[in-house]
Amino acid sequence: MTVKSEDLFVEIEDVKLCYRVEGDSSHPPVLLIMGLNSQLIHWPQQLVDKLKEKYRVIRFDNRDSGLTRWRTGQPPADGYSLGDMADDAIQLLDHLGIDKADIVGASMGGMIAQRLAINYPARARSLCSIMSTTGNIWVGYAQPGVIAELIKEPPSDPEGAIDHVAALYDLIGSDTYAAEEAPRRRALAEAAYKRSLDSNGGPAHAGGGARQVGAILLAGDRTKELNALTLPTLVIHGNEDALIHISGGKATRDAIPGAVWLGDPEKGVEGMGHDLPQPLLDTIAAGIVAHIK
């Protein structure tokens, strides 16, 4: 388990949550919510640095991710919902004394962000849903074979586990920028692995990925609830997403009244897979900043 000086912790209901805050405390707050089996370090620092020029950037490890610990009680542990995970985010805002924030979510984090906006409309100043979907099973589907690889048990040895995660990043990430992203993907896989070990050097979140998948599968279709949202919304999706097809992003755009779409109306952000590749970060950051300005 690797803890950095900027990692902060708060005890909230059911969770000891790890978070980071960057940027001037007088600036408007932006809350970043990451996705399945991902950690706050999966938000590229380049993107965070761009946002924190004008905003107070808050990001955190979801329950069952990174340095956040979900108190599961006696096994077998019960699962949880996207609503529970949205509650975690709200309790973090409460802890920081923030009444309202711009909410940005990626992948499962986009689903959590949507649920937060639905359940707590007074707490979300705006919404940005990145490479996510509405919960409608007919959109946002994965390419054949991707889910099987995603749920495959990783090797028990560190090198094998890191190789496994890096291969997943290659599978679902941008094809256009695959070669130049390869070193960053490998470094991120290694950092994420080391950061999620328990005090004994073993996996800290046994079954956590399955619980997060369960939360997604049991969430249902949010389309009708998204139809009722009235907050400014930006939807970002790429044309090379192998995990959540771009139809999921389009459905999100079409479901939320007045939602804005980044990039080509059909292709979205060209060259973007289910990742945030470095060559596209300036485009993505500029889109988010223009949206929440």
Side-chain angles (χ1 to χ4, degrees), residues 181-209:
E181 285 294 294
R184 283 185 285 271
R185 290 172 180 174
R186 174 74 188 186
L188 183 58
E190 184 173 356
Y193 175 79
K194 291 179 177 179
R195 196 169 175 274
S196 61
L197 298 176
D198 63 20
S199 57
N200 297 317
H205 306 290

PDB file of all heavy atoms in Angstrom, residues 181-209:
ATOM      1  N   GLU A 181       0.876   5.427 -25.914  1.00  0.00           N
ATOM      2  CA  GLU A 181       0.287   5.283 -24.583  1.00  0.00           C
ATOM      3  C   GLU A 181       0.834   4.082 -23.826  1.00  0.00           C
ATOM      4  O   GLU A 181       0.698   3.993 -22.603  1.00  0.00           O
ATOM      5  CB  GLU A 181      -1.238   5.140 -24.688  1.00  0.00           C
ATOM      6  CG  GLU A 181      -1.961   6.435 -24.999  1.00  0.00           C
ATOM      7  CD  GLU A 181      -1.833   7.442 -23.872  1.00  0.00           C
ATOM      8  OE1 GLU A 181      -2.372   7.191 -22.775  1.00  0.00           O
ATOM      9  OE2 GLU A 181      -1.174   8.478 -24.088  1.00  0.00           O
ATOM     10  N   ALA A 182       1.472   3.134 -24.536  1.00  0.00           N
ATOM     11  CA  ALA A 182       1.905   1.880 -23.909  1.00  0.00           C
ATOM     12  C   ALA A 182       2.745   2.085 -22.653  1.00  0.00           C
ATOM     13  O   ALA A 182       2.479   1.453 -21.620  1.00  0.00           O
ATOM     14  CB  ALA A 182       2.644   1.019 -24.933  1.00  0.00           C
ATOM     15  N   PRO A 183       3.766   2.939 -22.659  1.00  0.00           N
ATOM     16  CA  PRO A 183       4.551   3.126 -21.430  1.00  0.00           C
ATOM     17  C   PRO A 183       3.728   3.702 -20.285  1.00  0.00           C
ATOM     18  O   PRO A 183       3.907   3.305 -19.129  1.00  0.00           O
ATOM     19  CB  PRO A 183       5.665   4.088 -21.856  1.00  0.00           C
ATOM     20  CG  PRO A 183       5.736   3.970 -23.345  1.00  0.00           C
ATOM     21  CD  PRO A 183       4.327   3.702 -23.787  1.00  0.00           C
ATOM     22  N   ARG A 184       2.835   4.638 -20.600  1.00  0.00           N
ATOM     23  CA  ARG A 184       1.995   5.225 -19.555  1.00  0.00           C
ATOM     24  C   ARG A 184       1.020   4.200 -19.000  1.00  0.00           C
ATOM     25  O   ARG A 184       0.743   4.175 -17.792  1.00  0.00           O
ATOM     26  CB  ARG A 184       1.246   6.439 -20.111  1.00  0.00           C
ATOM     27  CG  ARG A 184       2.103   7.682 -20.239  1.00  0.00           C
ATOM     28  CD  ARG A 184       1.285   8.893 -20.677  1.00  0.00           C
ATOM     29  NE  ARG A 184       0.946   8.844 -22.089  1.00  0.00           N
ATOM     30  CZ  ARG A 184       1.713   9.349 -23.056  1.00  0.00           C
ATOM     31  NH1 ARG A 184       2.857   9.926 -22.760  1.00  0.00           N
ATOM     32  NH2 ARG A 184       1.349   9.272 -24.320  1.00  0.00           N
ATOM     33  N   ARG A 185       0.476   3.359 -19.865  1.00  0.00           N
ATOM     34  CA  ARG A 185      -0.441   2.315 -19.405  1.00  0.00           C
ATOM     35  C   ARG A 185       0.260   1.350 -18.457  1.00  0.00           C
ATOM     36  O   ARG A 185      -0.294   0.961 -17.420  1.00  0.00           O
ATOM     37  CB  ARG A 185      -1.024   1.566 -20.604  1.00  0.00           C
ATOM     38  CG  ARG A 185      -1.997   2.389 -21.427  1.00  0.00           C
ATOM     39  CD  ARG A 185      -2.394   1.675 -22.720  1.00  0.00           C
ATOM     40  NE  ARG A 185      -3.339   2.477 -23.499  1.00  0.00           N
ATOM     41  CZ  ARG A 185      -3.761   2.154 -24.717  1.00  0.00           C
ATOM     42  NH1 ARG A 185      -3.304   1.051 -25.305  1.00  0.00           N
ATOM     43  NH2 ARG A 185      -4.623   2.932 -25.353  1.00  0.00           N
ATOM     44  N   ARG A 186       1.469   0.970 -18.801  1.00  0.00           N
ATOM     45  CA  ARG A 186       2.235   0.056 -17.960  1.00  0.00           C
ATOM     46  C   ARG A 186       2.553   0.697 -16.602  1.00  0.00           C
ATOM     47  O   ARG A 186       2.399   0.075 -15.548  1.00  0.00           O
ATOM     48  CB  ARG A 186       3.530  -0.331 -18.670  1.00  0.00           C
ATOM     49  CG  ARG A 186       4.488  -1.172 -17.830  1.00  0.00           C
ATOM     50  CD  ARG A 186       4.004  -2.584 -17.672  1.00  0.00           C
ATOM     51  NE  ARG A 186       4.840  -3.315 -16.721  1.00  0.00           N
ATOM     52  CZ  ARG A 186       4.724  -4.613 -16.480  1.00  0.00           C
ATOM     53  NH1 ARG A 186       3.820  -5.321 -17.132  1.00  0.00           N
ATOM     54  NH2 ARG A 186       5.506  -5.198 -15.611  1.00  0.00           N
ATOM     55  N   ALA A 187       2.981   1.959 -16.637  1.00  0.00           N
ATOM     56  CA  ALA A 187       3.309   2.666 -15.399  1.00  0.00           C
ATOM     57  C   ALA A 187       2.078   2.836 -14.514  1.00  0.00           C
ATOM     58  O   ALA A 187       2.151   2.693 -13.284  1.00  0.00           O
ATOM     59  CB  ALA A 187       3.921   4.027 -15.728  1.00  0.00           C
ATOM     60  N   LEU A 188       0.926   3.113 -15.128  1.00  0.00           N
ATOM     61  CA  LEU A 188      -0.301   3.275 -14.367  1.00  0.00           C
ATOM     62  C   LEU A 188      -0.749   1.954 -13.754  1.00  0.00           C
ATOM     63  O   LEU A 188      -1.197   1.905 -12.599  1.00  0.00           O
ATOM     64  CB  LEU A 188      -1.403   3.836 -15.275  1.00  0.00           C
ATOM     65  CG  LEU A 188      -2.748   4.132 -14.614  1.00  0.00           C
ATOM     66  CD1 LEU A 188      -2.593   5.127 -13.475  1.00  0.00           C
ATOM     67  CD2 LEU A 188      -3.753   4.659 -15.643  1.00  0.00           C
ATOM     68  N   ALA A 189      -0.618   0.868 -14.509  1.00  0.00           N
ATOM     69  CA  ALA A 189      -0.970  -0.452 -13.989  1.00  0.00           C
ATOM     70  C   ALA A 189      -0.118  -0.791 -12.773  1.00  0.00           C
ATOM     71  O   ALA A 189      -0.624  -1.322 -11.774  1.00  0.00           O
ATOM     72  CB  ALA A 189      -0.793  -1.507 -15.077  1.00  0.00           C
ATOM     73  N   GLU A 190       1.161  -0.481 -12.838  1.00  0.00           N
ATOM     74  CA  GLU A 190       2.059  -0.766 -11.717  1.00  0.00           C
ATOM     75  C   GLU A 190       1.714   0.093 -10.507  1.00  0.00           C
ATOM     76  O   GLU A 190       1.647  -0.404  -9.366  1.00  0.00           O
ATOM     77  CB  GLU A 190       3.502  -0.522 -12.139  1.00  0.00           C
ATOM     78  CG  GLU A 190       4.516  -0.877 -11.064  1.00  0.00           C
ATOM     79  CD  GLU A 190       5.951  -0.791 -11.563  1.00  0.00           C
ATOM     80  OE1 GLU A 190       6.146  -0.521 -12.770  1.00  0.00           O
ATOM     81  OE2 GLU A 190       6.858  -1.010 -10.738  1.00  0.00           O
ATOM     82  N   ALA A 191       1.468   1.395 -10.744  1.00  0.00           N
ATOM     83  CA  ALA A 191       1.138   2.297  -9.638  1.00  0.00           C
ATOM     84  C   ALA A 191      -0.176   1.899  -8.977  1.00  0.00           C
ATOM     85  O   ALA A 191      -0.302   1.913  -7.747  1.00  0.00           O
ATOM     86  CB  ALA A 191       1.063   3.732 -10.145  1.00  0.00           C
ATOM     87  N   ALA A 192      -1.160   1.537  -9.795  1.00  0.00           N
ATOM     88  CA  ALA A 192      -2.463   1.154  -9.256  1.00  0.00           C
ATOM     89  C   ALA A 192      -2.367  -0.134  -8.457  1.00  0.00           C
ATOM     90  O   ALA A 192      -3.003  -0.283  -7.397  1.00  0.00           O
ATOM     91  CB  ALA A 192      -3.473   1.002 -10.393  1.00  0.00           C
ATOM     92  N   TYR A 193      -1.575  -1.081  -8.945  1.00  0.00           N
ATOM     93  CA  TYR A 193      -1.402  -2.343  -8.222  1.00  0.00           C
ATOM     94  C   TYR A 193      -0.783  -2.091  -6.846  1.00  0.00           C
ATOM     95  O   TYR A 193      -1.286  -2.562  -5.821  1.00  0.00           O
ATOM     96  CB  TYR A 193      -0.524  -3.292  -9.023  1.00  0.00           C
ATOM     97  CG  TYR A 193      -0.191  -4.580  -8.290  1.00  0.00           C
ATOM     98  CD1 TYR A 193      -1.113  -5.619  -8.229  1.00  0.00           C
ATOM     99  CD2 TYR A 193       1.023  -4.719  -7.621  1.00  0.00           C
ATOM    100  CE1 TYR A 193      -0.821  -6.789  -7.530  1.00  0.00           C
ATOM    101  CE2 TYR A 193       1.319  -5.884  -6.936  1.00  0.00           C
ATOM    102  CZ  TYR A 193       0.395  -6.912  -6.891  1.00  0.00           C
ATOM    103  OH  TYR A 193       0.682  -8.064  -6.184  1.00  0.00           O
ATOM    104  N   LYS A 194       0.309  -1.346  -6.801  1.00  0.00           N
ATOM    105  CA  LYS A 194       1.008  -1.100  -5.540  1.00  0.00           C
ATOM    106  C   LYS A 194       0.137  -0.310  -4.567  1.00  0.00           C
ATOM    107  O   LYS A 194       0.210  -0.506  -3.349  1.00  0.00           O
ATOM    108  CB  LYS A 194       2.313  -0.351  -5.808  1.00  0.00           C
ATOM    109  CG  LYS A 194       3.357  -1.182  -6.537  1.00  0.00           C
ATOM    110  CD  LYS A 194       4.618  -0.385  -6.793  1.00  0.00           C
ATOM    111  CE  LYS A 194       5.680  -1.240  -7.467  1.00  0.00           C
ATOM    112  NZ  LYS A 194       6.917  -0.471  -7.761  1.00  0.00           N
ATOM    113  N   ARG A 195      -0.694   0.560  -5.111  1.00  0.00           N
ATOM    114  CA  ARG A 195      -1.501   1.439  -4.260  1.00  0.00           C
ATOM    115  C   ARG A 195      -2.698   0.719  -3.647  1.00  0.00           C
ATOM    116  O   ARG A 195      -3.322   1.226  -2.714  1.00  0.00           O
ATOM    117  CB  ARG A 195      -1.962   2.629  -5.104  1.00  0.00           C
ATOM    118  CG  ARG A 195      -2.470   3.813  -4.314  1.00  0.00           C
ATOM    119  CD  ARG A 195      -2.660   5.032  -5.200  1.00  0.00           C
ATOM    120  NE  ARG A 195      -3.267   6.118  -4.447  1.00  0.00           N
ATOM    121  CZ  ARG A 195      -4.575   6.268  -4.292  1.00  0.00           C
ATOM    122  NH1 ARG A 195      -5.416   5.422  -4.877  1.00  0.00           N
ATOM    123  NH2 ARG A 195      -5.064   7.256  -3.577  1.00  0.00           N
ATOM    124  N   SER A 196      -3.036  -0.453  -4.172  1.00  0.00           N
ATOM    125  CA  SER A 196      -4.249  -1.131  -3.693  1.00  0.00           C
ATOM    126  C   SER A 196      -3.945  -2.386  -2.879  1.00  0.00           C
ATOM    127  O   SER A 196      -4.832  -3.216  -2.667  1.00  0.00           O
ATOM    128  CB  SER A 196      -5.144  -1.503  -4.880  1.00  0.00           C
ATOM    129  OG  SER A 196      -4.476  -2.378  -5.765  1.00  0.00           O
ATOM    130  N   LEU A 197      -2.704  -2.519  -2.409  1.00  0.00           N
ATOM    131  CA  LEU A 197      -2.366  -3.665  -1.564  1.00  0.00           C
ATOM    132  C   LEU A 197      -2.751  -3.389  -0.111  1.00  0.00           C
ATOM    133  O   LEU A 197      -2.767  -2.240   0.334  1.00  0.00           O
ATOM    134  CB  LEU A 197      -0.862  -3.949  -1.645  1.00  0.00           C
ATOM    135  CG  LEU A 197      -0.313  -4.332  -3.023  1.00  0.00           C
ATOM    136  CD1 LEU A 197       1.195  -4.475  -2.964  1.00  0.00           C
ATOM    137  CD2 LEU A 197      -0.955  -5.620  -3.522  1.00  0.00           C
ATOM    138  N   ASP A 198      -3.037  -4.449   0.634  1.00  0.00           N
ATOM    139  CA  ASP A 198      -3.320  -4.274   2.054  1.00  0.00           C
ATOM    140  C   ASP A 198      -2.014  -4.255   2.842  1.00  0.00           C
ATOM    141  O   ASP A 198      -0.919  -4.330   2.274  1.00  0.00           O
ATOM    142  CB  ASP A 198      -4.279  -5.356   2.564  1.00  0.00           C
ATOM    143  CG  ASP A 198      -3.699  -6.765   2.479  1.00  0.00           C
ATOM    144  OD1 ASP A 198      -2.463  -6.912   2.388  1.00  0.00           O
ATOM    145  OD2 ASP A 198      -4.495  -7.728   2.503  1.00  0.00           O
ATOM    146  N   SER A 199      -2.124  -4.155   4.151  1.00  0.00           N
ATOM    147  CA  SER A 199      -0.935  -4.017   4.991  1.00  0.00           C
ATOM    148  C   SER A 199      -0.047  -5.252   4.961  1.00  0.00           C
ATOM    149  O   SER A 199       1.135  -5.190   5.330  1.00  0.00           O
ATOM    150  CB  SER A 199      -1.346  -3.721   6.434  1.00  0.00           C
ATOM    151  OG  SER A 199      -2.202  -4.738   6.928  1.00  0.00           O
ATOM    152  N   ASN A 200      -0.596  -6.376   4.511  1.00  0.00           N
ATOM    153  CA  ASN A 200       0.177  -7.613   4.414  1.00  0.00           C
ATOM    154  C   ASN A 200       0.740  -7.842   3.012  1.00  0.00           C
ATOM    155  O   ASN A 200       1.324  -8.891   2.740  1.00  0.00           O
ATOM    156  CB  ASN A 200      -0.683  -8.804   4.820  1.00  0.00           C
ATOM    157  CG  ASN A 200      -1.127  -8.734   6.264  1.00  0.00           C
ATOM    158  OD1 ASN A 200      -0.327  -8.402   7.142  1.00  0.00           O
ATOM    159  ND2 ASN A 200      -2.402  -9.029   6.518  1.00  0.00           N
ATOM    160  N   GLY A 201       0.506  -6.885   2.126  1.00  0.00           N
ATOM    161  CA  GLY A 201       1.015  -7.015   0.766  1.00  0.00           C
ATOM    162  C   GLY A 201       0.125  -7.810  -0.164  1.00  0.00           C
ATOM    163  O   GLY A 201       0.517  -8.148  -1.274  1.00  0.00           O
ATOM    164  N   GLY A 202      -1.099  -8.090   0.273  1.00  0.00           N
ATOM    165  CA  GLY A 202      -2.050  -8.813  -0.568  1.00  0.00           C
ATOM    166  C   GLY A 202      -3.130  -7.897  -1.110  1.00  0.00           C
ATOM    167  O   GLY A 202      -3.188  -6.707  -0.755  1.00  0.00           O
ATOM    168  N   PRO A 203      -3.995  -8.409  -1.981  1.00  0.00           N
ATOM    169  CA  PRO A 203      -5.075  -7.592  -2.542  1.00  0.00           C
ATOM    170  C   PRO A 203      -6.004  -7.070  -1.450  1.00  0.00           C
ATOM    171  O   PRO A 203      -6.476  -7.831  -0.607  1.00  0.00           O
ATOM    172  CB  PRO A 203      -5.811  -8.559  -3.477  1.00  0.00           C
ATOM    173  CG  PRO A 203      -4.833  -9.651  -3.747  1.00  0.00           C
ATOM    174  CD  PRO A 203      -4.006  -9.784  -2.509  1.00  0.00           C
ATOM    175  N   ALA A 204      -6.250  -5.767  -1.458  1.00  0.00           N
ATOM    176  CA  ALA A 204      -7.056  -5.154  -0.405  1.00  0.00           C
ATOM    177  C   ALA A 204      -8.547  -5.233  -0.671  1.00  0.00           C
ATOM    178  O   ALA A 204      -9.349  -5.008   0.236  1.00  0.00           O
ATOM    179  CB  ALA A 204      -6.651  -3.694  -0.228  1.00  0.00           C
ATOM    180  N   HIS A 205      -8.926  -5.551  -1.895  1.00  0.00           N
ATOM    181  CA  HIS A 205     -10.347  -5.462  -2.256  1.00  0.00           C
ATOM    182  C   HIS A 205     -10.838  -6.759  -2.892  1.00  0.00           C
ATOM    183  O   HIS A 205     -11.371  -6.758  -4.010  1.00  0.00           O
ATOM    184  CB  HIS A 205     -10.570  -4.285  -3.207  1.00  0.00           C
ATOM    185  CG  HIS A 205     -10.049  -2.984  -2.693  1.00  0.00           C
ATOM    186  ND1 HIS A 205     -10.624  -2.328  -1.635  1.00  0.00           N
ATOM    187  CD2 HIS A 205      -8.984  -2.223  -3.077  1.00  0.00           C
ATOM    188  CE1 HIS A 205      -9.952  -1.203  -1.397  1.00  0.00           C
ATOM    189  NE2 HIS A 205      -8.950  -1.129  -2.257  1.00  0.00           N
ATOM    190  N   ALA A 206     -10.653  -7.855  -2.204  1.00  0.00           N
ATOM    191  CA  ALA A 206     -11.108  -9.140  -2.734  1.00  0.00           C
ATOM    192  C   ALA A 206     -12.606  -9.087  -3.017  1.00  0.00           C
ATOM    193  O   ALA A 206     -13.403  -8.746  -2.151  1.00  0.00           O
ATOM    194  CB  ALA A 206     -10.811 -10.249  -1.730  1.00  0.00           C
ATOM    195  N   GLY A 207     -12.980  -9.395  -4.256  1.00  0.00           N
ATOM    196  CA  GLY A 207     -14.387  -9.352  -4.649  1.00  0.00           C
ATOM    197  C   GLY A 207     -14.912  -7.964  -4.936  1.00  0.00           C
ATOM    198  O   GLY A 207     -16.081  -7.798  -5.294  1.00  0.00           O
ATOM    199  N   GLY A 208     -14.054  -6.948  -4.807  1.00  0.00           N
ATOM    200  CA  GLY A 208     -14.515  -5.580  -5.012  1.00  0.00           C
ATOM    201  C   GLY A 208     -14.976  -5.310  -6.429  1.00  0.00           C
ATOM    202  O   GLY A 208     -15.996  -4.647  -6.642  1.00  0.00           O
ATOM    203  N   GLY A 209     -14.231  -5.824  -7.410  1.00  0.00           N
ATOM    204  CA  GLY A 209     -14.642  -5.632  -8.799  1.00  0.00           C
ATOM    205  C   GLY A 209     -15.995  -6.235  -9.081  1.00  0.00           C
ATOM    206  O   GLY A 209     -16.823  -5.635  -9.774  1.00  0.00           O
TER     207      GLY A 209
END
